[in-house]
Amino acid sequence: MNDGQLLRYARHLLLDEIGIEGQERLLAARALVVGAGGLGSPVALYLAAAGVGEIVLADHDTVDLTNLQRQIAHTQASVGTPKVTSAQSAMLALNPEARVRTLPVRLQDDALLREEVTAADVVIDCTDNFAIRVLLNRVCFALGTPLVSGAAIRFEGQVSVFDPAEPASPCYACLFPESADDVQEVSCATMGVFSPLVGIVGSTQAAEALKLLSGAGQTLTGRLLRVDALRMEWRAVNVMRDPACPVCGHRAMPG
Ligand SMILES: [Zn+2]
């Protein structure tokens, strides 16, 4: 780390759980953030501020006036421009050292997705699209990359970490079966979402990603954290791997 970095990251260096070693890990890490909306905004901003070495940001959408109520990486001036470009500007304004690569696509092409997940140390799911969540989960488990999953709708949010390196870790499909016919495509576009809820959930996702990358603390692997912002009640429930899960159920049990 140079003198500028020692100052910029000084408050991380003061944390025993991160320190120089953990910060060096962050600086050498690569994160894939899928979605640059309500959840992706705080995730992208905190990862950039915290000095994650390379951040790959994927989103096919452009900034719309209705996004600005909660998608804090974007501004009035960026309405009509690609979300990834707008978020990249905000990240670089915060930390000019951030290396941000933008993918202005819906990340559903299997080859591209596999390539990006292979290169990433952590994947943060900030989409509101069930089909892409399912695909991300499959690719992350196949390639052994930890996935930080978050969702927010109305006043309710949830976060969990699915880590293939942890033998007992469930995957997203263990909790939310891919074939579930009761899964409705609910999105902020039609359901409404409380402005700071995406900040609460996204910031929690950023915290989990930074812990995975730096090695600090214990992640939410094996737990699903739920928040009800209307009552401001938080609840963590233990979640287990489903041995019959079509995605992760075939893994050999640890000997
Ligand atoms: Zn599973």
Side-chain angles (χ1 to χ4, degrees), residues 29-51:
R30 187 187 288 190
L32 171 63
V33 182
V34 184
L39 301 174
S41 288
V43 168
L45 292 174
Y46 273 120
L47 296 193

Side-chain angles (χ1 to χ4, degrees), residues 26-201:
L26 293 179
L27 290 166
R30 187 187 288 190
L32 171 63
V33 182
V34 184
L39 301 174
S41 288
V43 168
L45 292 174
Y46 273 120
L47 296 193
V52 171
E54 184 177 2
I55 302 158
V56 182
L57 190 56
D59 198 305
H60 69 287
D61 213 358
T62 55
V63 180
D64 183 87
L65 185 57
T66 62
N67 299 151
L68 300 183
Q69 165 254 16
R70 65 197 178 283
Q71 302 187 11
I72 57 167
H74 311 303
T75 63
Q76 183 77 36
S78 59
V79 169
T81 66
K83 284 188 179 178
V84 287
T85 314
S86 165
Q88 181 183 36
S89 305
M91 294 157 81
L92 292 174
L94 200 51
N95 185 353
E97 288 190 349
R99 279 185 296 136
V100 184
R101 191 153 52 80
T102 58
L103 295 172
V105 295
R106 198 192 279 273
L107 210 49
Q108 58 193 4
D109 171 69
D110 213 41
L112 177 64
L113 184 58
R114 290 184 79 88
E115 188 183 315
E116 292 299 338
V117 171
T118 302
D121 298 303
V122 65
V123 175
I124 303 111
D125 179 358
C126 302
T127 66
D128 61 356
N129 180 295
F130 186 67
I132 300 215
R133 283 183 189 282
V134 162
L135 189 59
L136 271 181
N137 177 58
R138 279 190 172 265
V139 174
C140 282
F141 254 83
L143 297 173
T145 309
L147 173 66
V148 181
S149 176
I153 197 79
R154 292 180 292 253
F155 289 90
E156 292 146 36
Q158 62 189 32
V159 188
S160 193
V161 173
F162 306 110
D163 188 355
E166 297 276 344
S169 173
C171 79
Y172 182 79
C174 292
L175 276 59
F176 307 100
E178 296 178 351
S179 57
D181 44 16
D182 60 338
V183 170
Q184 290 169 350
E185 197 57 67
V186 290
S187 76
C188 302
T190 50
M191 299 301 288
V193 61
F194 185 43
S195 169
L197 177 69
V198 287
I200 293 168
V201 173

